Amino acid sequence: MFYDAKQKIGHACALALFESYKAEAPVLQKIHQELKKCAEILQKVPALGDYLRNPLLSKDEKKIILRDALKIKQIGEFLDLLVEKNLVSYFSQFVNSFETLFKNFSKIKTIYVKVDPLDEDTKHMLTKFLKSYFKGYETEIIFESCKDLHGGFIVRSDNLYWDNSLKGKISSLKIKMGI
């Protein structure tokens, strides 16, 4: 599940926050929205992440950046703790891990679909199928056009992987034939 120490540390921080508020769904929802907004801001302004990782800035300066630039209200004290413990450099891993925990808790499935060709009929058909397949879950389907597939689609979500592309079928056939 984890690929490096940063992900482990980010996950441990996210798990601590998540477990603290798991019983309070409305608060958890607010925290999720706040972290989502933080992630969007950090993606739009990469220099902000650089400031947070800058060892020359004091902890107080980093706290001000987190609270003012990211407009944090709900989890300000928790992020202050990340700064105090020198864990703020794992902020993006923390946000990603919290997002995963929240989606699993809320029964939300994010499904990534690569498809060729990407037209409205194909999108509609796949959306209908995937929503019925993941019945009981709220589905978030992200479509991407991928000409390399030479027709068909690939669906990926958590540990699910379906390759129904021409490229995938040819590759599978080559393996079976020992080519």
Side-chain angles (χ1 to χ4, degrees):
M1 179 177 175
F2 302 110
Y3 302 104
D4 60 25
K6 278 188 160 192
Q7 286 180 326
K8 285 181 184 177
I9 293 168
H11 181 72
C13 295
L15 192 57
L17 180 63
F18 182 81
E19 290 295 329
S20 299
Y21 291 101
K22 188 166 74 172
E24 303 174 51
V27 176
L28 199 59
Q29 178 70 34
K30 287 178 184 175
I31 291 169
H32 175 252
Q33 291 304 317
E34 211 167 77
L35 284 174
K36 209 170 179 177
K37 219 184 303 180
C38 291
E40 289 169 5
I41 291 170
L42 286 168
Q43 193 171 12
K44 289 178 185 173
V45 187
L48 198 53
D50 295 338
Y51 285 121
L52 293 173
R53 289 185 294 277
N54 187 337
L56 301 176
L57 288 177
S58 72
K59 289 178 179 179
D60 288 335
E61 290 170 315
K62 290 179 181 183
K63 288 177 188 178
I64 290 168
I65 289 170
L66 279 171
R67 287 185 184 253
D68 292 349
L70 299 179
K71 308 284 189 243
I72 291 171
K73 294 178 185 80
Q74 197 71 38
I75 57 168
E77 289 177 14
F78 187 81
L79 294 181
D80 286 350
L81 180 64
L82 290 182
V83 171
E84 284 299 322
K85 300 295 182 185
N86 293 316
L87 297 172
V88 76
S89 61
Y90 306 109
F91 191 71
S92 64
Q93 290 84 1
F94 161 72
V95 171
N96 291 340
S97 205
F98 190 89
E99 176 78 8
T100 301
L101 289 167
F102 180 79
K103 284 183 175 183
N104 287 338
F105 177 78
S106 303
K107 297 191 96 177
I108 299 170
K109 285 284 185 195
T110 302
I111 306 160
Y112 300 92
V113 180
K114 290 184 178 184
V115 63
D116 177 41
L118 180 58
D119 56 52
E120 288 307 311
D121 289 340
T122 305
K123 254 178 139 172
H124 178 72
M125 181 219 30
L126 284 170
T127 299
K128 188 175 176 181
F129 170 74
L130 291 169
K131 284 183 184 261
S132 70
Y133 184 83
F134 290 104
K135 194 186 297 186
Y137 286 88
E138 181 181 327
T139 54
E140 179 181 78
I141 304 171
I142 300 170
F143 285 96
E144 177 186 341
S145 180
C146 186
K147 301 288 183 202
D148 292 348
L149 301 179
H150 307 295
F153 58 88
I154 296 175
V155 175
R156 184 177 51 84
S157 177
D158 297 331
N159 58 357
L160 172 73
Y161 184 84
W162 288 326
D163 187 343
N164 193 32
S165 67
L166 184 57
K167 181 180 180 180
K169 288 178 181 180
I170 291 171
S171 178
S172 179
L173 190 57
K174 282 181 178 179
I175 291 169
K176 286 179 183 175
M177 293 174 62
I179 299 175

